[in-house]
Amino acid sequence: MAYNKYRYGPPALKSSVDMQLQSAFSDGNWSTVVRLAAKRFATFKDPYYEAIKVSTEAQLQGTAEKCAVLVHVDELVKSKKTPDIDTLDLFEWACQDFIGYEIEFAETFGPLRARWVKANANSPMAVSCLQGCLEQWDLVSAQQIAATLDKTHANSADRRYMFWNITLTFLLSISPQCTEASRKVYSLLTVRQLQKAADITESSEKLEKTDKGLLTEEEVCLYYRVLLGHGTKEEFLTRLKSPKLGAIGQLKQGHKLLFCECLDALETWGEWDTIYELCRDALKLGLDGSTTPFFVCDLRIWKKFVAAATEATNADAALDEVQNVLKQFIELKDKATPMYKKNISLALLETTFRLPSTTINPNHENKALSPKVIQIGLFLDEYYERFAAFDDVKGYVAELGYEEAKTFLEDVLPNIPGENPTKAQQIIITALECRLRYTLTTCPQTLSPHPTVVEGTDQGKPFKCRVCSNLAKSPCEDCLKKLIIDAANAYSQVAADKELLAAIPKLDRDPRLDLALVMGNSLLKLSGLRPKLPNFAQSLWQDVQPEVLLQAVLLLDTQLRVTPNDNGLRLMLVQLYLLFGCASYAHQLWVPLDVKRTIQDALSPLFFDRISSISPGLFQGTRPLMEPLRAYYSQSLRDPSPVRIWDAFSSGSYTSVLDMAEYDKKLRTSCTLVMTLVEERRAARLFVGKLDIDIDDHILATDIVEDTTLVHKTDYGSFPNLESANGPPIQDFIRLGPGPSNERSHLSFLAEQYLDLLSYTPPKDYKPSKAAEAAARDKAYNLETLIRINTSLTDFLHKPPTPKLLTPPETNYYTALSLLSALVLTAISLPKSEASVPTIVSQTTQSLKTTLTTLRTGLLSPRSTASVSTEQTISSLCDMPAFSSVRDIALGTKLSAAFVLACHERETARDKSGRSGLHKGVVMEMKALESAAAKTLADARAHVGVLKGVMNESGWLDRLLDVVLGEEDKEADELTDKVSDVVDGRAGAEEWAGKVVESWREGVKGWGMVRFE
Amino acid sequence: MANFRRFRPDDLNKLSKCNLDPLTETYELSFYLQYYAKWPSLFQVAEDENGNIIGYIMGKLESSPDVYKFSEHYLPWHAHITAVTVAPEARRLGIGKLLTEQLEAAGDAGNAWFIDLFVRKTNHKAIKFYESMGYSIFRVVKEYYGDHSTDPTQNSEDAYDMRKPLKRDVKKEHIRTDGEKHEVDPTDVW
Ligand SMILES: CC(C)(COP(=O)(O)OP(=O)(O)OC[C@H]1O[C@@H](n2cnc3c(N)ncnc32)[C@H](O)[C@@H]1OP(=O)(O)O)[C@@H](O)C(=O)NCCC(=O)NCCS
């Protein structure tokens, strides 16, 4: 990777250099510089001129001298002498393109700079040497420089030297750059140094800047971070309670960071008593005026406080104290900003739910109108009209017992807006009620177990629904249907009421959006859509009722036109359209979200994951589809060091240094990064077949090896999630398959590596002089690579969580590649002299041929064009990822066979004696495999042709609308009628149907451009 | 529903509730990290129960670069609001105000003269928000933004440079009552 420091040009030459040479150098007149520098060197014998010469030669393209500088650097390193700093600068500039390839910074310039600093520790240049090493992420040299600086400036008022040293020693101790032998020493060293500093702080009355104690918030927090890494729990706990450096002491100084950070550590240790005491004391600081009143009045703190009290050694007394503190805050409530007022109200709710029921309801009076129900009611009295009301109470309502929930919905909620509610208030309550009813359908307390076999036949309904008393599955379909009808009625009521429509813009949230979400989600559930379990069917269509699923999409899409700014709804629709194979339309919906720059890492998988297998045509646009994503990574990961790391060092932000290093590590190993590389390559291969570079050689893949844990951080935070915590969240239902994972990312990466190996062809003019030796080398390389890829593919496929992390087509594809790589390995290593081919070869080829045959039967054949039904077509359009895997498997098979046969041909051509070449049996098996793959590919191409033909037929708008809303002259069921009302009937749905059909056509057109050979 | 704490880099993976809103700009990674590196305590977030960021403020304490010392536009030691945003679902609860007040307090603690910011002339909500907290227009920066937030036919938009005096400015020397009449070019602000 190019070195940051010289990105903007060469270093300045020493001022002693004459004007003529200076100006040639600054003009970039490299050949003149070389000539002049050589002359000066001859005259003055000053090696600096020679350094100018060789460094400048490195700028001249295509000369043999380009690399001469490397020899000079090597000599410098070996000489053990203190180098000249200007020479170092020149050499480093000259070597910028070699660093990371021909030479490693940590073995050359890093140690040289450390050596220079040792001899010149007082020079102002020493700090830039530190910066230089840091920016190359050479922690060993940086630590050495920092240690030298610390020692030299022991009496300086600049505290940073000491903390640079400590921070770097710590960073090194947790880095792979540290040798195992030094790790322990460095760990101990950092703890000791900080302990000493902490003791100085504790024992001095007032700390001066020159004292080597812990003074700033950053210094204190660094100490605790190091303790967590390398210290003992006891020391952590003791220090946490100390008056000056403890969490409470720090809060008194206005420092909240330590308090926030320590709670997680305490929780993992189960230190509930300490958590309880800290939360209590911290909250009381606000009450007694030691801090501003609401300094720590966060919901998280309240929740921890209550949870810790229930776990505390003396839980009764602790819970009393919680209520006591809470009471005092409630008294302050009127002075609080709305935010804290709300936090206090939520804290009250939380406390009510966490206290033992004997405490809050000692006499067991009215179980249904319990204190829990009353508290939710009181909370909503204040907040029901607010945007977040549903999210605020959802979790609590889901915890209510059945009777409580019933009372809440029937007696409490309707009365919240008071005696004379406005129409708007009424509709807000209805929308809230519908959403909560939906959530309750996902809660086990609304169902009671019921024998599913009645009179010898299995009803398939193992529950009795407590809400509607019908026999039910989970969720209860009758309740969902009723919800749709109620929500649709309310929706239509709004649509028809001018007064209400006029009131909507003034509301926090459009109630129509919530009603639509209830209807949409209920329809999705009724359609049978479920999270993708490993055993889910190949085809989406076999699992669901298509018309109901399409109704959900139609309804939600209609709502998006009413509330286009709702990002949650938009994201949900993007997922649904991808599920449906309407990728170009999903893209149209995605673009206005303007996901760019930094947020791409977390949000891009929502659109781009698996995109090449859904709709390759998208990659044929004028601008490369994933360019912004690739550009983001190239920009953010350009340097070996974390972005802006020196800023954090020079500002004394030590916890920032640690967090930025951690963040950088995760970004370099992000699943989204792998997705970017893989999807682009897959798409390129679909059209051109061959790629310029191997995935391994991609600059962004530097940090990815088999044992790297790849990190996924997809942000689903904006999805409107009506589900309760008892089941999976909404994204698990509507996503095409399991989300990004370490396992899937590795498998996709390995698949690319395998294809790279198969596609390698030596350059045309490559004619090695010792052909036999070169061939042996190539073979050894191929075998080694195949073993590695095959072992890793098999390992990842067999990891216990993997089946849950792949779609069935993905499992098929990676399994096929694992078989193929094993087969190729055996095929090219089997001695020709062997009597027969091992059975494993014929078994594997047989199994692959069977797979190919099975896959072919799922394809549409040209003979069937005339009779392809609407359902069959839509089903195929939705199943493009499965279709894509058919092509991938067939092509992988073909390439594998071709690879083996090419080996055979090369060998026989090289050595005409008849002794070389592969085993006859192997060659035969490969030929058979190749032709089976070719057949499948031909059928796959035909499948696209059939789809194209069918989609070009006229009347698709009506065909789709017939599926979704029923045929025009036939009577529809009640649900369809309701959906139809909301979307303004068939006429209203036409525009939508047009977009869907158009998008399908575009998708098929894209597949039409794909290569099938 | 909210917790207030210092920003940490992982929060960048949880920004969708704030940053998918069109009035909130998304920057390159180095921009966020520059603030986190140099002024970590001035980068504060509000988070919801699920760890989603529902509001944040990014700020700094600085003077204009020394080379501008003798320019009439030189700014002495002051606090600056680089970005403040609250997710639509959490607006009008005082979160924006709390975040801003924290930065003002840091400005006072750092002995700054005033606190300032740039806002699009058409971002009426934000202008009302700042005015409600005592900020006023100090000058108009012509064509500060390279696009227009409401009118796609225009390729630039003016900014208001708004200010609020901090405790150090006892005599209120750093604010104006007729700021709207003082126009400057983008090259005059740093
Ligand atoms: C501007 C913004 C940050 C305000 O955040 P907020 O948390 O909703 O604001 P607060 O609740 O703290 O409001 C404080 C006061 O500001 C004023 N205010 C806030 N939003 C307002 C609005 N939309 N209209 C009128 N006044 C408003 C009010 O006086 C309010 O006090 P009140 O609610 O007691 O009447 C938020 O609307 C936002 O994120 N907008 C998009 C991003 C943006 O424009 N950022 C500013 C770029 S410079």
Side-chain angles (χ1 to χ4, degrees):
Chain A
M1 274 182 210
Y3 181 21
N4 178 10
K5 198 170 163 192
Y6 299 110
R7 196 175 298 136
Y8 304 109
L13 295 183
K14 282 187 191 184
S15 54
S16 58
V17 173
D18 62 280
M19 274 310 293
Q20 195 188 4
L21 182 48
Q22 289 274 11
S23 68
F25 190 80
S26 62
D27 292 347
N29 241 333
W30 303 132
S31 30
T32 314
V33 174
V34 171
R35 189 171 44 78
L36 290 175
K39 243 174 151 176
R40 303 291 184 272
F41 179 56
T43 317
F44 303 117
K45 303 280 178 294
D46 180 348
Y48 183 60
Y49 288 108
E50 197 188 14
I52 298 180
K53 179 176 156 276
V54 292
S55 300
T56 309
E57 278 168 349
Q59 312 306 312
L60 299 171
Q61 290 307 323
T63 61
E65 289 79 21
K66 194 168 162 55
C67 300
V69 64
L70 295 177
V71 179
H72 286 257
V73 172
D74 190 47
E75 277 169 11
L76 264 188
V77 175
K78 287 192 183 130
S79 79
K80 304 276 179 234
K81 279 195 281 199
T82 304
D84 167 53
I85 190 75
D86 293 293
T87 302
L88 263 189
D89 277 351
L90 270 174
F91 282 173
E92 211 175 299
W93 162 67
C95 288
Q96 53 185 324
D97 291 339
F98 300 130
I99 293 176
Y101 301 98
E102 282 78 4
I103 53 171
E104 290 304 325
F105 184 93
E107 290 161 10
T108 51
F109 294 104
L112 285 169
R113 292 204 173 268
R115 206 189 289 166
W116 185 83
V117 171
K118 217 164 193 169
N120 300 277
N122 275 312
S123 160
M125 290 292 291
V127 174
S128 41
C129 285
L130 176 63
Q131 180 180 354
C133 292
L134 261 177
E135 282 170 351
Q136 283 290 339
W137 213 229
D138 172 5
L139 295 177
V140 175
S141 307
Q143 191 274 341
Q144 281 174 17
I145 296 178
T148 309
L149 289 175
D150 185 16
K151 214 155 58 195
T152 311
H153 298 279
N155 299 316
S156 149
D158 191 341
R159 322 172 47 72
R160 292 179 308 172
Y161 293 114
M162 169 171 143
F163 287 98
W164 283 347
N165 183 15
I166 296 174
T167 307
L168 272 164
T169 312
F170 180 63
L171 270 181
L172 182 57
S173 74
I174 55 172
S175 142
Q177 293 178 37
C178 192
T179 59
E180 280 314 310
S182 318
R183 201 178 294 284
K184 205 152 179 209
V185 182
Y186 286 138
S187 313
L188 261 169
L189 200 65
T190 44
V191 177
R192 287 279 154 72
Q193 281 171 307
L194 286 166
Q195 262 167 352
K196 205 169 122 196
D199 289 340
I200 293 176
T201 307
E202 301 275 18
S203 59
S204 26
E205 193 99 334
K206 188 175 181 308
L207 215 56
E208 295 303 327
K209 274 201 150 180
T210 40
D211 293 331
K212 298 285 158 150
L214 305 176
L215 187 64
T216 67
E217 183 175 22
E218 283 296 307
E219 293 165 5
V220 174
C221 288
L222 174 65
Y223 170 48
Y224 283 94
R225 292 280 190 102
V226 169
L227 273 185
L228 268 184
H230 299 321
T232 63
K233 180 174 136 190
E234 287 64 37
E235 185 178 356
F236 189 96
L237 290 179
T238 318
R239 204 66 95 168
L240 205 55
K241 290 176 188 159
S242 99
K244 267 192 200 159
L245 292 176
I248 299 298
Q250 289 292 305
L251 279 175
K252 285 187 195 160
Q253 295 178 45
H255 300 162
K256 194 173 168 184
L257 184 59
L258 173 61
F259 178 66
C260 288
E261 289 196 352
C262 74
L263 291 177
D264 289 330
L266 293 172
E267 193 167 336
T268 48
W269 289 326
E271 288 290 330
W272 292 109
D273 283 341
T274 313
I275 298 178
Y276 165 73
E277 285 160 20
L278 280 179
C279 290
R280 177 197 62 199
D281 296 350
L283 285 162
K284 280 187 170 175
L285 289 179
L287 294 173
D288 69 22
S290 306
T291 61
T292 50
F294 304 103
F295 192 38
V296 298
C297 197
D298 299 326
L299 191 55
R300 171 173 182 252
I301 306 302
W302 282 108
K303 283 193 162 181
K304 289 244 190 292
F305 187 28
V306 183
T310 59
E311 304 271 345
T313 321
N314 186 350
D316 287 346
L319 286 167
D320 280 349
E321 183 66 2
V322 169
Q323 294 181 79
N324 176 27
V325 175
L326 184 56
K327 219 167 89 200
Q328 294 181 60
F329 271 98
I330 292 172
E331 282 160 18
L332 284 182
K333 217 168 125 179
D334 289 340
K335 289 193 212 131
T337 43
M339 180 67 248
Y340 286 124
K341 229 185 221 170
K342 189 169 163 190
N343 272 357
I344 294 167
S345 300
L346 283 168
L348 183 58
L349 204 48
E350 175 74 12
T351 315
T352 312
F353 272 76
R354 298 303 152 240
L355 288 177
S357 55
T358 44
T359 314
I360 49 168
N361 194 8
N363 308 326
H364 296 283
E365 294 163 38
N366 197 347
K367 260 185 149 171
L369 189 64
S370 67
K372 291 181 184 175
V373 174
I374 294 172
Q375 281 306 334
I376 300 179
L378 288 173
F379 178 84
L380 285 177
D381 266 343
E382 250 177 294
Y383 295 106
Y384 77 98
E385 288 175 282
R386 301 310 300 255
F387 195 112
F390 170 73
D391 286 321
D392 285 333
V393 299
K394 178 180 92 170
Y396 296 112
V397 172
E399 277 188 50
L400 293 177
Y402 172 70
E403 292 299 332
E404 288 175 315
K406 188 167 165 351
T407 307
F408 169 71
L409 286 176
E410 287 174 4
D411 303 335
V412 178
L413 191 59
N415 295 318
I416 281 180
E419 288 198 352
N420 295 309
T422 62
K423 279 184 182 170
Q425 286 171 328
Q426 273 171 328
I427 203 78
I428 290 172
I429 289 291
T430 307
L432 188 56
E433 181 210 309
C434 286
R435 280 184 288 169
L436 290 169
R437 272 168 59 195
Y438 177 90
T439 304
L440 283 166
T441 65
T442 68
C443 296
Q445 65 269 36
T446 56
L447 298 170
S448 48
H450 196 270
T452 166
V453 181
V454 178
E455 290 172 7
T457 47
D458 189 341
Q459 309 286 307
K461 293 186 169 174
F463 302 105
K464 185 166 181 182
C465 175
R466 299 180 72 181
V467 181
C468 66
S469 306
N470 294 332
L471 292 185
K473 291 191 273 191
S474 172
C476 171
E477 296 192 341
D478 290 330
C479 282
L480 288 174
K481 285 180 187 158
K482 178 144 194 319
L483 249 178
I484 295 170
I485 292 167
D486 291 351
N489 287 340
Y491 196 102
S492 303
Q493 186 200 333
V494 182
D497 190 325
K498 287 212 176 80
E499 189 188 326
L500 261 176
L501 288 173
I504 286 177
K506 288 179 224 116
L507 304 181
D508 239 23
R509 197 175 154 88
D510 190 331
R512 287 173 297 180
L513 171 61
D514 293 327
L515 293 168
L517 283 172
V518 169
M519 290 185 272
N521 277 287
S522 304
L523 286 165
L524 289 176
K525 287 275 177 76
L526 283 178
S527 78
L529 192 66
R530 294 290 177 269
K532 312 297 174 293
L533 297 168
N535 57 354
F536 80 89
Q538 286 276 356
S539 161
L540 170 72
W541 241 230
Q542 289 166 15
D543 272 2
V544 301
Q545 283 176 268
E547 68 283 4
V548 186
L549 185 52
L550 283 161
Q551 283 173 1
V553 180
L554 164 61
L555 203 140
L556 292 170
D557 191 283
T558 309
Q559 182 56 38
L560 189 69
R561 269 173 277 161
V562 181
T563 46
N565 294 331
D566 191 79
N567 296 325
L569 176 60
R570 188 174 281 273
L571 283 168
M572 215 177 142
L573 277 164
V574 167
Q575 302 291 288
L576 285 166
Y577 282 117
L578 289 173
L579 193 66
F580 259 95
C582 291
S584 61
Y585 187 31
H587 193 236
Q588 278 175 36
L589 295 182
W590 171 256
V591 170
L593 289 166
D594 200 19
V595 172
K596 61 180 180 195
R597 300 182 184 142
T598 305
I599 56 175
Q600 295 181 101
D601 189 44
L603 291 171
S604 292
L606 298 180
F607 179 76
F608 291 102
D609 197 15
R610 305 187 166 101
I611 194 72
S612 63
S613 66
I614 308 172
S615 181
L618 284 179
F619 286 86
Q620 296 289 65
T622 42
R623 194 177 169 204
L625 187 67
M626 297 176 80
E627 157 90 38
L629 196 48
R630 192 173 4 95
Y632 170 69
Y633 290 116
S634 304
Q635 165 113 356
S636 308
L637 304 175
R638 181 172 46 191
D639 296 326
S641 60
V643 172
R644 295 277 178 189
I645 196 77
W646 179 248
D647 281 346
F649 265 93
S650 61
S651 312
S653 309
Y654 309 113
T655 60
S656 301
V657 168
L658 303 183
D659 287 344
M660 286 159 76
E662 181 65 23
Y663 186 78
D664 178 74
K665 195 170 105 194
K666 287 193 209 150
L667 196 61
R668 285 175 202 275
T669 53
S670 148
C671 287
T672 312
L673 168 65
V674 174
M675 174 198 84
T676 308
L677 298 177
V678 169
E679 288 299 321
E680 280 206 310
R681 295 176 68 82
R682 287 176 48 85
R685 217 177 311 97
L686 281 161
F687 297 109
V688 294
K690 195 149 169 40
L691 294 155
D692 294 339
I693 59 163
D694 286 359
I695 194 163
D696 273 338
D697 296 336
H698 200 291
I699 189 122
L700 292 172
T702 324
D703 292 274
I704 298 165
V705 289
E706 263 98 282
D707 58 1
T708 316
T709 304
L710 299 167
V711 191
H712 57 99
K713 345 162 223 199
T714 313
D715 180 2
Y716 298 105
S718 291
F719 281 64
N721 188 21
L722 307 186
E723 309 297 309
S724 75
N726 296 300
I730 183 67
Q731 62 266 21
D732 288 6
F733 287 81
I734 59 180
R735 212 175 28 217
L736 193 65
S741 60
N742 172 49
E743 288 76 3
R744 174 154 68 94
S745 302
H746 269 295
L747 286 166
S748 68
F749 196 85
L750 285 161
E752 292 304 304
Q753 289 181 320
Y754 180 59
L755 294 176
D756 282 342
L757 179 76
L758 298 185
S759 323
Y760 177 77
T761 43
K764 280 214 171 61
D765 47 5
Y766 176 68
K767 294 260 174 334
S769 52
K770 295 179 182 163
E773 246 175 60
R777 246 194 340 261
D778 281 353
K779 185 172 172 184
Y781 170 80
N782 285 341
L783 288 178
E784 194 188 308
T785 313
L786 278 166
I787 291 175
R788 183 182 57 77
I789 293 176
N790 177 258
T791 315
S792 301
L793 272 172
T794 318
D795 282 356
F796 277 111
L797 268 172
H798 292 145
K799 277 186 195 287
T802 304
K804 283 202 294 291
L805 303 170
L806 301 177
T807 62
E810 284 159 356
T811 307
N812 289 344
Y813 176 49
Y814 299 126
T815 308
L817 291 193
S818 133
L819 286 177
L820 284 165
S821 51
L823 183 64
V824 172
L825 185 61
T826 320
I828 61 172
S829 50
L830 185 71
K832 197 178 161 101
S833 53
E834 206 76 11
S836 63
V837 179
T839 45
I840 183 76
V841 171
S842 45
Q843 273 169 1
T844 314
T845 28
Q846 194 46 49
S847 138
L848 283 160
K849 280 189 275 187
T850 314
T851 307
L852 290 171
T853 315
T854 320
L855 291 174
R856 280 169 60 200
T857 54
L859 299 173
L860 299 172
S861 101
R863 268 165 280 119
S864 56
T865 314
S867 57
V868 181
S869 69
T870 305
E871 280 75 13
Q872 233 179 332
T873 312
I874 301 182
S875 165
S876 297
L877 291 165
C878 298
D879 286 343
M880 284 331 244
F883 168 74
S884 168
S885 79
V886 176
R887 178 190 171 279
D888 290 342
I889 294 171
L891 209 61
T893 309
K894 196 182 145 206
L895 287 173
S896 302
F899 180 82
V900 176
L901 293 173
C903 277
H904 174 67
E905 274 159 31
R906 261 200 317 277
E907 283 291 286
T908 39
R910 187 179 53 76
D911 174 0
K912 303 252 159 51
S913 69
R915 265 171 294 139
S916 66
L918 304 186
H919 195 287
K920 222 167 62 200
V922 164
V923 173
M924 256 170 58
E925 292 281 8
M926 289 302 143
K927 286 193 172 150
L929 208 50
E930 200 177 33
S931 82
K935 248 193 230 143
T936 309
L937 284 169
D939 285 1
R941 186 208 303 272
H943 175 91
V944 177
V946 175
L947 275 182
K948 220 168 164 181
V950 180
M951 287 312 292
N952 280 341
E953 289 167 8
S954 57
W956 261 100
L957 220 64
D958 281 329
R959 282 164 82 171
L960 176 60
L961 288 173
D962 285 351
V963 174
V964 187
L965 297 176
E967 287 170 36
E968 257 178 306
D969 42 5
K970 288 202 186 130
E971 206 168 310
D973 59 33
E974 192 184 4
L975 279 192
T976 308
D977 273 344
K978 287 292 166 195
V979 172
S980 188
D981 284 351
V982 173
V983 303
D984 255 353
R986 229 176 140 94
E990 252 177 38
E991 191 187 332
W992 168 82
K995 283 184 177 160
V996 169
V997 171
E998 187 49 37
S999 186
W1000 275 332
R1001 283 189 180 135
E1002 275 183 46
V1004 174
K1005 198 170 133 209
W1007 278 106
M1009 290 186 273
V1010 163
R1011 292 171 52 254
F1012 286 90
E1013 59 202 10
Chain B
M1 70 168 304
N3 308 311
F4 286 91
R5 59 168 171 79
R6 194 191 264 198
F7 165 87
R8 51 178 182 247
D10 277 344
D11 294 336
L12 296 173
N13 301 324
K14 293 283 198 175
L15 287 186
S16 70
K17 285 195 171 185
C18 287
N19 283 41
L20 292 180
D21 187 62
L23 276 171
T24 303
E25 185 56 70
T26 298
Y27 302 101
E28 290 296 348
L29 181 62
S30 75
F31 193 74
Y32 296 106
L33 293 186
Q34 179 191 9
Y35 281 83
Y36 181 58
K38 293 188 180 168
W39 303 277
S41 63
L42 307 186
F43 196 163
Q44 295 281 338
V45 303
E47 120 198 288
D48 75 7
E49 264 178 272
N50 303 313
N52 300 302
I53 302 304
I54 50 168
Y56 58 86
I57 192 164
M58 211 160 61
K60 58 183 170 182
L61 267 173
E62 65 174 16
S63 328
S64 294
D66 278 350
V67 283
Y68 300 111
K69 199 111 203 186
F70 302 103
S71 154
E72 58 169 321
H73 302 299
Y74 178 81
L75 305 183
W77 189 243
H78 66 286
H80 178 75
I81 302 176
T82 301
V84 58
T85 176
V86 173
E89 68 184 52
R91 288 191 185 148
R92 297 309 282 268
L93 284 167
I95 295 182
K97 190 170 169 197
L98 285 165
L99 290 168
T100 312
E101 282 170 354
Q102 283 184 30
L103 190 57
E104 291 168 10
D108 277 327
N111 205 21
W113 288 99
F114 57 86
I115 175 162
D116 70 354
L117 60 104
F118 298 111
V119 58
R120 286 177 189 268
K121 214 169 157 176
T122 53
N123 191 351
H124 307 292
K125 266 198 233 175
I127 294 168
K128 280 248 158 28
F129 164 71
Y130 290 122
E131 282 173 347
S132 79
M133 292 184 296
Y135 290 69
S136 60
I137 298 168
F138 181 73
R139 52 186 177 169
V140 182
V141 191
K142 299 301 287 178
E143 300 176 356
Y144 180 74
Y145 297 100
D147 61 348
H148 198 282
S149 62
T150 50
D151 182 353
T153 64
Q154 304 212 32
N155 52 15
S156 72
E157 187 174 347
D158 295 350
Y160 284 142
D161 178 354
M162 296 184 78
R163 270 190 194 183
K164 178 176 176 174
L166 291 179
K167 286 186 184 142
R168 183 171 179 184
D169 187 11
V170 184
K171 294 194 205 143
K172 309 282 178 269
E173 287 166 30
H174 291 279
I175 51 168
R176 293 178 180 140
T177 47
D178 62 346
E180 233 165 317
K181 292 193 195 125
H182 293 256
E183 291 186 350
V184 296
D185 286 334
T187 47
D188 297 326
V189 298
W190 313 285

